Amino acid sequence: MNDDVMLRIAEALERLAPAPLPAPDLSAASAYVWQTDPDQLVPVDKVNRVDLDLLIGVDRSRDTLLANTIQFAKGMPANNALLWGARGMGKSSLVKAIHGAVIKDYPDLRIVEVQREDMESIGRCLDMLRDQPQRFLMFCDDLSFSHDDAHYKSLKAVLDGGIAGRPDNVVLYATSNRRHLMPRDMIENERSTAITPGEAVEEKVSLSDRFGLWLGFHPCDQDQYLSMIRGYCDAHGVTIDDDTLRAEAIEWQATRGSRSGRVAWQYFVDLAGRKGVTLG
């Protein structure tokens, strides 16, 4: 095969190859969702979040994560953070609320949400963010891994960075119901059946160790639960006396079989609807 034929083949293949993606315009919004096929950062005009002051019972986690985020927004080194613990206690709400609070003073801080099922493409997302002038909170909600799940290997690209290193302008905030990102019974089962106990799951379990901040969220007590609802009422102008609120809220949580920030919000939504108050 002569050189002319080889050149024509090479030119044909180049024409068939997809054009390189243009650099994204990240001045359009403060929040984005990472999507694949094709790879793109989709701006979010209005983020679903509550004010930071309305998150009750998570003071220590709030203060720690807020300080870390401000540090990062200033251009200083900051830690990746794993928010783990009880369902419905405001883990993802805290991340979004802190971003909303910090961008008031640091408008170049962006939040990019990556779905768990898109974790394998996270390296491509990092490449897109690497040379941008803004700073990015990469946010993954409800992160966990099962026995045959290899997505955790992609997560290491964010936590460790590989040869290229994690971009200095990106930090990862993840939420999970599991402290070790995989079920405890699965950890014990793999350890008991491994040729060398412990080594089979060490790589997955050690993922959580790669987060510099571990912030635990625990079930709220009744006073915190009622305080959450009262805070929502005051913030949205819903009028109700304390005795009625207490009786209704306790009955509401009894029918749900649990008490959490999510249950408090669900009761408040019902209350606001009955009172004819819209939630903007």
Side-chain angles (χ1 to χ4, degrees), residues 24 26 41 112 124-134 136 138 167 169-170:
L26 296 174
L41 289 163
V112 176
R124 303 198 300 272
C125 183
L126 288 175
D127 289 340
M128 196 174 288
L129 301 179
R130 185 177 300 276
D131 296 322
Q132 298 295 327
Q134 299 89 355
F136 301 91
M138 184 170 283
N169 64 337
V170 178

Side-chain angles (χ1 to χ4, degrees), residues 11-280:
E11 290 173 344
L13 290 174
E14 186 174 350
R15 288 193 297 271
L16 290 173
L21 293 172
D25 177 11
L26 296 174
S27 63
S30 64
Y32 295 82
V33 174
W34 170 250
Q35 293 184 358
T36 59
D37 196 23
D39 291 350
Q40 58 182 324
L41 289 163
V42 180
V44 178
D45 295 329
K46 185 176 181 181
V47 178
N48 177 27
R49 60 181 161 214
V50 299
D51 290 337
L52 192 57
D53 293 340
L54 294 179
L55 297 176
I56 306 295
V58 293
D59 296 11
R60 184 174 182 180
S61 294
R62 177 200 63 205
D63 294 346
T64 302
L65 194 64
L66 180 60
N68 191 69
T69 306
I70 292 174
Q71 188 172 303
F72 176 69
K74 287 180 176 180
M76 298 294 105
N79 275 305
N80 300 311
L82 175 63
L83 291 69
W84 68 276
R87 291 179 174 86
M89 281 307 299
K91 297 185 293 294
S92 60
S93 295
L94 180 60
V95 173
K96 293 181 288 185
I98 281 181
H99 174 253
V102 173
I103 57 174
K104 295 175 183 177
D105 295 321
Y106 303 93
D108 282 339
L109 181 65
R110 303 288 186 261
I111 186 169
V112 176
E113 183 173 15
V114 178
Q115 302 296 327
R116 184 204 163 281
E117 55 268 24
D118 292 328
M119 191 60 65
E120 63 181 354
S121 68
I122 203 167
R124 303 198 300 272
C125 183
L126 288 175
D127 289 340
M128 196 174 288
L129 301 179
R130 185 177 300 276
D131 296 322
Q132 298 295 327
Q134 299 89 355
R135 299 182 73 77
F136 301 91
L137 301 178
M138 184 170 283
F139 171 50
C140 186
D141 192 24
D142 198 20
L143 183 64
S144 62
F145 300 100
S146 58
H147 171 73
D148 55 352
D149 194 340
H151 284 80
Y152 72 92
K153 295 180 180 178
S154 300
L155 177 59
K156 292 179 68 177
V158 184
L159 300 175
D160 291 339
I163 294 176
R166 174 170 56 85
D168 291 336
N169 64 337
V170 178
V171 71
L172 174 67
Y173 288 176
T175 72
S176 179
N177 296 327
R178 302 165 180 163
R179 183 162 60 98
H180 289 300
L181 303 178
M182 61 187 298
R184 181 173 296 277
D185 60 346
M186 190 173 296
I187 295 173
E188 298 304 327
N189 180 63
E190 290 200 22
R191 280 177 174 158
S192 64
T193 57
I195 295 175
T196 305
E199 289 187 3
V201 293
E202 181 178 356
E203 188 173 26
K204 291 181 184 177
V205 173
S206 65
L207 273 178
S208 57
D209 292 334
R210 288 177 164 85
F211 289 89
L213 295 179
W214 280 17
L215 303 176
F217 289 70
H218 309 288
C220 61
D221 59 29
Q222 187 165 284
D223 288 342
Q224 289 173 332
Y225 169 72
L226 295 173
S227 294
M228 292 173 188
I229 299 171
R230 175 54 69 190
Y232 293 141
C233 290
D234 293 344
H236 293 278
V238 175
T239 303
I240 184 174
D241 65 88
D242 288 339
D243 290 341
T244 302
L245 185 150
R246 181 183 181 86
E248 288 188 2
I250 290 175
E251 181 181 1
W252 183 275
Q253 66 130 88
T255 63
R256 297 303 182 276
S258 65
R259 183 195 302 125
S260 69
R262 181 176 296 138
V263 172
W265 175 255
Q266 290 168 346
Y267 164 74
F268 170 71
V269 169
D270 178 76
L271 175 63
R274 288 188 280 117
K275 295 287 186 178
V277 176
T278 59
L279 305 177

